[in-house]
């Protein structure tokens, strides 16, 4: 699960050159914040894939937010990294973020504000790849959309980590993003989004665990002035 206008980068702890998984999460956010997050989805289905090649790697995920009556949204991030050299930990990073969301009748558009990102990534791992990390410094451009959101320039700092331990029975992974958002009055604000995950790997393919979305200035809240939210989930994951 990675949402937003959102969402910026994530990754998985990669033990091979190719990894793919599907996750199903039940979100408790609407139970914790019944007023501020009354319309928040309860179930999210996530598909993510990482693939390395001789030039670098591809990564994407798709979050599909579900409710009893409709599919509330589908958000994706697709990124490509190009190695500067075979020995260098630095890579060029390019990315697209965007998606579709449901809207009430009479509104203009059912889409997230799109963004494009470009910059550099520093990637590392321990000797057996059981622990991986990445730090990315990116220029971020938000595009004008049909909901009267203006185009603007931004920057994003992302950290991604993953570690498997306890004889591969446990995995702790996640990301944290910092970027410059823009208020309706055009003033800037710091947006923070982090989604740490903990998984118990029951088998090679099946895991059960949790994700916790921690954010500030990220949730669209018109009820009051609260900007900081913690939204935990319980989930299952199948690794292909």
């Amino acid at each position: 699960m990675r949402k937003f206008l959102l969402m910026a980068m994530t990754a998985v702890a990669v033990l091979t050159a190719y990894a793919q998984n599907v996750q199903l999460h039940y979100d408790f956010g609407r139970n914790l914040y019944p007023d501020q997050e009354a319309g928040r989805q309860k179930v999210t289905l996530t598909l993510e894939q990482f693939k390395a090649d001789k030039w670098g790697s591809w990564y994407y995920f798709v979050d599909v937010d579900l409710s009893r009556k409709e599919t509330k949204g589908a958000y994706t991030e697709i990124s490509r990294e190009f190695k500067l050299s075979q020995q260098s930990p630095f890579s060029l990073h390019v990315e697209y973020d965007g998606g579709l969301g449901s809207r009430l009748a009479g509104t203009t558009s059912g889409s997230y504000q799109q963004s494009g990102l470009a910059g550099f990534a520093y990637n590392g791992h321990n000797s057996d790849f059981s622990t991986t990390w990445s730090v990315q410094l990116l220029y971020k451009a938000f595009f004008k959309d049909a909901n009267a959101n203006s185009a603007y320039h931004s920057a994003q700092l992302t950290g991604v980590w993953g570690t498997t331990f306890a004889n591969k029975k446990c995995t702790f992974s996640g990301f944290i993003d910092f970027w410059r958002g823009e208020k309706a009055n055009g003033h800037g604000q710091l947006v923070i989004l982090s989604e740490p995950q903990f998984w118990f790997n029951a088998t090679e393919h099946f895991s059960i665990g949790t994700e916790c979305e921690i954010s500030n200035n990220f949730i669209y809240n018109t009820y009051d002035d609260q900007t900081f939210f913690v939204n935990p989930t319980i989930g299952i994951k199948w690794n292909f």
Side-chain angles (χ1 to χ4, degrees):
M1 266 172 86
R2 333 250 184 278
K3 293 175 244 332
F4 129 156
L5 140 50
L6 339 263
M7 238 289 4
M9 257 294 294
T10 60
V12 284
V14 179
L15 304 180
T16 66
Y18 176 85
Q20 185 180 49
N21 71 77
V22 61
Q23 304 173 26
L24 185 66
H25 290 264
Y26 182 88
D27 192 298
F28 294 97
R30 195 160 67 174
N31 303 96
L32 296 175
Y33 308 100
D35 298 317
Q36 296 90 340
E37 296 190 301
R40 187 177 178 89
Q41 83 293 337
K42 287 191 174 183
V43 177
T44 297
L45 178 70
T46 298
L47 173 67
E48 64 178 347
Q49 180 175 310
F50 172 94
K51 188 178 189 303
D53 53 45
K54 64 181 180 180
W55 297 290
S57 62
W58 284 99
Y59 173 76
Y60 78 88
F61 74 85
V62 180
D63 275 347
V64 181
D65 295 331
L66 306 172
S67 73
R68 292 180 179 179
K69 296 182 179 180
E70 63 177 346
T71 299
K72 295 182 68 66
Y75 175 79
T76 186
E77 293 185 6
I78 305 170
S79 65
R80 172 72 203 188
E81 290 195 353
F82 298 93
K83 295 179 182 178
L84 295 184
S85 73
Q86 292 300 317
Q87 293 75 33
S88 175
F90 291 96
S91 297
L92 295 174
H93 181 106
V94 293
E95 182 178 333
Y96 165 81
D97 302 345
L100 300 174
S102 63
R103 291 290 188 273
L104 296 175
T107 58
T108 305
S109 172
S111 63
Y112 294 99
Q113 188 174 12
Q114 302 177 95
S115 61
L117 302 91
F120 293 92
Y122 178 88
N123 303 310
H125 58 83
N126 63 354
S127 59
D128 63 357
F129 285 83
S130 61
T131 297
T132 63
W133 61 88
S134 177
V135 178
Q136 300 151 16
L137 183 59
L138 307 169
Y139 163 75
K140 188 171 189 176
F142 287 97
F143 307 133
K144 184 177 180 180
D145 67 11
N147 295 314
N149 291 311
S150 300
Y152 65 94
H153 303 286
S154 181
Q156 181 170 299
L157 176 65
T158 292
V160 181
W161 71 89
T163 184
T164 300
F165 55 96
N167 197 27
K168 299 184 179 180
K169 285 297 184 181
C170 298
T171 299
F172 177 58
S173 60
F175 72 91
I176 185 167
D177 289 326
F178 305 87
W179 75 91
R180 178 191 177 275
E182 195 165 277
K183 301 178 182 179
N185 61 10
H187 292 174
Q189 63 180 354
L190 176 63
V191 183
I192 302 173
L193 176 65
S194 183
E195 293 185 4
Q197 295 185 343
F198 178 82
W199 297 100
F200 173 73
N201 305 314
T203 71
E204 179 183 359
H205 298 287
F206 179 75
S207 303
I208 183 170
T210 181
E211 176 183 273
C212 190
E213 181 190 275
I214 304 167
S215 67
N216 193 52
N217 290 323
F218 176 71
I219 301 295
Y220 184 68
N221 171 27
T222 58
Y223 180 78
D224 57 19
D225 294 329
Q226 183 172 349
T227 62
F228 180 79
F229 293 89
V230 178
N231 294 300
T233 75
I234 185 169
I236 54 176
K237 178 170 67 170
W238 183 265
N239 297 290
F240 293 96

mmCIF file of all heavy atoms in Angstrom, residues 5-27:
data_model
loop_
_atom_site.group_PDB
_atom_site.id
_atom_site.type_symbol
_atom_site.label_atom_id
_atom_site.label_comp_id
_atom_site.label_asym_id
_atom_site.label_seq_id
_atom_site.Cartn_x
_atom_site.Cartn_y
_atom_site.Cartn_z
ATOM 1 N N LEU A 5 -1.491 11.361 -3.749
ATOM 2 C CA LEU A 5 -0.942 12.202 -4.720
ATOM 3 C C LEU A 5 0.456 11.852 -4.496
ATOM 4 O O LEU A 5 1.040 12.135 -3.626
ATOM 5 C CB LEU A 5 -1.090 13.544 -4.336
ATOM 6 C CG LEU A 5 0.120 14.249 -4.691
ATOM 7 C CD1 LEU A 5 0.827 14.318 -5.840
ATOM 8 C CD2 LEU A 5 -0.157 15.483 -4.309
ATOM 9 N N LEU A 6 0.449 11.385 -4.312
ATOM 10 C CA LEU A 6 0.986 10.753 -3.260
ATOM 11 C C LEU A 6 2.082 9.865 -3.541
ATOM 12 O O LEU A 6 2.450 9.482 -4.347
ATOM 13 C CB LEU A 6 0.188 9.842 -2.664
ATOM 14 C CG LEU A 6 -1.084 10.088 -2.958
ATOM 15 C CD1 LEU A 6 -1.998 10.719 -2.289
ATOM 16 C CD2 LEU A 6 -1.578 9.073 -3.548
ATOM 17 N N MET A 7 2.182 9.187 -3.015
ATOM 18 C CA MET A 7 3.135 8.242 -2.816
ATOM 19 C C MET A 7 4.377 8.298 -3.526
ATOM 20 O O MET A 7 4.549 7.949 -4.536
ATOM 21 C CB MET A 7 2.585 6.979 -3.230
ATOM 22 C CG MET A 7 2.656 6.119 -2.086
ATOM 23 S SD MET A 7 4.100 5.609 -1.621
ATOM 24 C CE MET A 7 5.254 6.097 -2.317
ATOM 25 N N ALA A 8 5.063 8.379 -3.182
ATOM 26 C CA ALA A 8 6.301 8.542 -3.664
ATOM 27 C C ALA A 8 6.983 7.273 -3.730
ATOM 28 O O ALA A 8 6.547 6.529 -4.367
ATOM 29 C CB ALA A 8 6.971 9.525 -2.924
ATOM 30 N N MET A 9 8.084 6.949 -3.368
ATOM 31 C CA MET A 9 8.736 5.702 -3.710
ATOM 32 C C MET A 9 8.627 4.682 -2.629
ATOM 33 O O MET A 9 8.529 5.017 -1.504
ATOM 34 C CB MET A 9 10.187 5.934 -3.989
ATOM 35 C CG MET A 9 10.508 5.920 -5.451
ATOM 36 S SD MET A 9 10.265 4.363 -6.220
ATOM 37 C CE MET A 9 11.456 3.402 -5.448
ATOM 38 N N THR A 10 8.671 3.420 -3.056
ATOM 39 C CA THR A 10 8.832 2.335 -2.134
ATOM 40 C C THR A 10 9.699 1.314 -2.780
ATOM 41 O O THR A 10 9.957 1.390 -3.935
ATOM 42 C CB THR A 10 7.571 1.572 -1.860
ATOM 43 O OG1 THR A 10 7.158 1.090 -3.040
ATOM 44 C CG2 THR A 10 6.546 2.345 -1.251
ATOM 45 N N ALA A 11 9.990 0.333 -1.997
ATOM 46 C CA ALA A 11 10.711 -0.775 -2.546
ATOM 47 C C ALA A 11 10.583 -1.917 -1.601
ATOM 48 O O ALA A 11 10.133 -1.760 -0.504
ATOM 49 C CB ALA A 11 12.148 -0.442 -2.767
ATOM 50 N N VAL A 12 11.009 -3.075 -2.103
ATOM 51 C CA VAL A 12 10.993 -4.268 -1.291
ATOM 52 C C VAL A 12 12.410 -4.696 -1.025
ATOM 53 O O VAL A 12 13.328 -4.308 -1.722
ATOM 54 C CB VAL A 12 10.245 -5.403 -2.027
ATOM 55 C CG1 VAL A 12 8.752 -5.185 -1.975
ATOM 56 C CG2 VAL A 12 10.705 -5.500 -3.453
ATOM 57 N N ALA A 13 12.610 -5.506 -0.004
ATOM 58 C CA ALA A 13 13.928 -6.065 0.248
ATOM 59 C C ALA A 13 14.168 -7.133 -0.801
ATOM 60 O O ALA A 13 13.571 -8.193 -0.782
ATOM 61 C CB ALA A 13 13.989 -6.686 1.639
ATOM 62 N N VAL A 14 15.018 -6.863 -1.747
ATOM 63 C CA VAL A 14 15.166 -7.705 -2.931
ATOM 64 C C VAL A 14 16.275 -8.719 -2.715
ATOM 65 O O VAL A 14 17.419 -8.364 -2.484
ATOM 66 C CB VAL A 14 15.497 -6.833 -4.159
ATOM 67 C CG1 VAL A 14 15.680 -7.717 -5.375
ATOM 68 C CG2 VAL A 14 14.379 -5.842 -4.396
ATOM 69 N N LEU A 15 15.906 -9.971 -2.800
ATOM 70 C CA LEU A 15 16.878 -11.040 -2.623
ATOM 71 C C LEU A 15 17.271 -11.664 -3.953
ATOM 72 O O LEU A 15 18.202 -12.450 -4.011
ATOM 73 C CB LEU A 15 16.301 -12.124 -1.696
ATOM 74 C CG LEU A 15 15.843 -11.614 -0.320
ATOM 75 C CD1 LEU A 15 15.286 -12.771 0.492
ATOM 76 C CD2 LEU A 15 16.992 -10.950 0.405
ATOM 77 N N THR A 16 16.563 -11.336 -5.008
ATOM 78 C CA THR A 16 16.890 -11.845 -6.332
ATOM 79 C C THR A 16 16.784 -10.696 -7.313
ATOM 80 O O THR A 16 16.429 -9.587 -6.961
ATOM 81 C CB THR A 16 15.907 -12.965 -6.745
ATOM 82 O OG1 THR A 16 14.610 -12.393 -6.886
ATOM 83 C CG2 THR A 16 15.865 -14.077 -5.709
ATOM 84 N N ALA A 17 17.095 -10.981 -8.573
ATOM 85 C CA ALA A 17 17.003 -9.946 -9.600
ATOM 86 C C ALA A 17 15.557 -9.694 -10.013
ATOM 87 O O ALA A 17 15.276 -8.759 -10.741
ATOM 88 C CB ALA A 17 17.826 -10.341 -10.814
ATOM 89 N N TYR A 18 14.637 -10.530 -9.558
ATOM 90 C CA TYR A 18 13.229 -10.384 -9.933
ATOM 91 C C TYR A 18 12.372 -10.697 -8.719
ATOM 92 O O TYR A 18 12.566 -11.711 -8.049
ATOM 93 C CB TYR A 18 12.891 -11.345 -11.067
ATOM 94 C CG TYR A 18 11.426 -11.340 -11.453
ATOM 95 C CD1 TYR A 18 10.937 -10.401 -12.350
ATOM 96 C CD2 TYR A 18 10.551 -12.271 -10.910
ATOM 97 C CE1 TYR A 18 9.593 -10.392 -12.711
ATOM 98 C CE2 TYR A 18 9.205 -12.269 -11.270
ATOM 99 C CZ TYR A 18 8.742 -11.328 -12.174
ATOM 100 O OH TYR A 18 7.424 -11.318 -12.523
ATOM 101 N N ALA A 19 11.450 -9.828 -8.383
ATOM 102 C CA ALA A 19 10.554 -10.057 -7.250
ATOM 103 C C ALA A 19 9.200 -9.472 -7.570
ATOM 104 O O ALA A 19 9.102 -8.380 -8.120
ATOM 105 C CB ALA A 19 11.127 -9.425 -5.984
ATOM 106 N N GLN A 20 8.145 -10.201 -7.210
ATOM 107 C CA GLN A 20 6.783 -9.736 -7.436
ATOM 108 C C GLN A 20 5.914 -10.243 -6.300
ATOM 109 O O GLN A 20 6.082 -11.379 -5.827
ATOM 110 C CB GLN A 20 6.244 -10.247 -8.763
ATOM 111 C CG GLN A 20 4.866 -9.704 -9.134
ATOM 112 C CD GLN A 20 4.382 -10.250 -10.461
ATOM 113 O OE1 GLN A 20 4.421 -11.445 -10.702
ATOM 114 N NE2 GLN A 20 3.922 -9.369 -11.338
ATOM 115 N N ASN A 21 4.998 -9.411 -5.821
ATOM 116 C CA ASN A 21 4.085 -9.851 -4.779
ATOM 117 C C ASN A 21 2.754 -9.135 -4.907
ATOM 118 O O ASN A 21 2.636 -8.088 -5.543
ATOM 119 C CB ASN A 21 4.697 -9.636 -3.385
ATOM 120 C CG ASN A 21 4.772 -8.170 -2.996
ATOM 121 O OD1 ASN A 21 3.772 -7.567 -2.616
ATOM 122 N ND2 ASN A 21 5.964 -7.587 -3.095
ATOM 123 N N VAL A 22 1.733 -9.723 -4.275
ATOM 124 C CA VAL A 22 0.422 -9.099 -4.179
ATOM 125 C C VAL A 22 0.045 -9.055 -2.701
ATOM 126 O O VAL A 22 0.301 -10.001 -1.948
ATOM 127 C CB VAL A 22 -0.634 -9.864 -5.018
ATOM 128 C CG1 VAL A 22 -0.800 -11.290 -4.535
ATOM 129 C CG2 VAL A 22 -1.954 -9.119 -5.014
ATOM 130 N N GLN A 23 -0.509 -7.920 -2.267
ATOM 131 C CA GLN A 23 -0.859 -7.721 -0.867
ATOM 132 C C GLN A 23 -2.333 -7.329 -0.750
ATOM 133 O O GLN A 23 -2.868 -6.630 -1.609
ATOM 134 C CB GLN A 23 -0.013 -6.607 -0.250
ATOM 135 C CG GLN A 23 1.479 -6.812 -0.361
ATOM 136 C CD GLN A 23 2.265 -5.598 0.109
ATOM 137 O OE1 GLN A 23 1.794 -4.814 0.936
ATOM 138 N NE2 GLN A 23 3.479 -5.439 -0.416
ATOM 139 N N LEU A 24 -2.961 -7.745 0.368
ATOM 140 C CA LEU A 24 -4.328 -7.339 0.676
ATOM 141 C C LEU A 24 -4.333 -6.806 2.102
ATOM 142 O O LEU A 24 -3.953 -7.509 3.042
ATOM 143 C CB LEU A 24 -5.291 -8.520 0.541
ATOM 144 C CG LEU A 24 -6.776 -8.192 0.721
ATOM 145 C CD1 LEU A 24 -7.264 -7.292 -0.422
ATOM 146 C CD2 LEU A 24 -7.610 -9.470 0.779
ATOM 147 N N HIS A 25 -4.721 -5.531 2.268
ATOM 148 C CA HIS A 25 -4.671 -4.860 3.563
ATOM 149 C C HIS A 25 -6.066 -4.419 3.997
ATOM 150 O O HIS A 25 -6.835 -3.877 3.191
ATOM 151 C CB HIS A 25 -3.786 -3.613 3.500
ATOM 152 C CG HIS A 25 -2.333 -3.901 3.346
ATOM 153 N ND1 HIS A 25 -1.474 -3.953 4.414
ATOM 154 C CD2 HIS A 25 -1.582 -4.153 2.245
ATOM 155 C CE1 HIS A 25 -0.240 -4.207 3.979
ATOM 156 N NE2 HIS A 25 -0.297 -4.341 2.661
ATOM 157 N N TYR A 26 -6.360 -4.619 5.297
ATOM 158 C CA TYR A 26 -7.541 -4.018 5.910
ATOM 159 C C TYR A 26 -7.071 -2.819 6.709
ATOM 160 O O TYR A 26 -6.218 -2.937 7.593
ATOM 161 C CB TYR A 26 -8.278 -5.007 6.812
ATOM 162 C CG TYR A 26 -9.541 -4.402 7.417
ATOM 163 C CD1 TYR A 26 -10.741 -4.468 6.729
ATOM 164 C CD2 TYR A 26 -9.497 -3.747 8.650
ATOM 165 C CE1 TYR A 26 -11.894 -3.901 7.255
ATOM 166 C CE2 TYR A 26 -10.649 -3.177 9.179
ATOM 167 C CZ TYR A 26 -11.841 -3.261 8.485
ATOM 168 O OH TYR A 26 -12.974 -2.684 9.004
ATOM 169 N N ASP A 27 -7.617 -1.643 6.400
ATOM 170 C CA ASP A 27 -7.148 -0.371 6.952
ATOM 171 C C ASP A 27 -8.048 0.062 8.118
ATOM 172 O O ASP A 27 -9.267 0.093 7.988
ATOM 173 C CB ASP A 27 -7.169 0.685 5.836
ATOM 174 C CG ASP A 27 -6.448 1.956 6.202
ATOM 175 O OD1 ASP A 27 -6.873 2.616 7.170
ATOM 176 O OD2 ASP A 27 -5.467 2.303 5.523
#
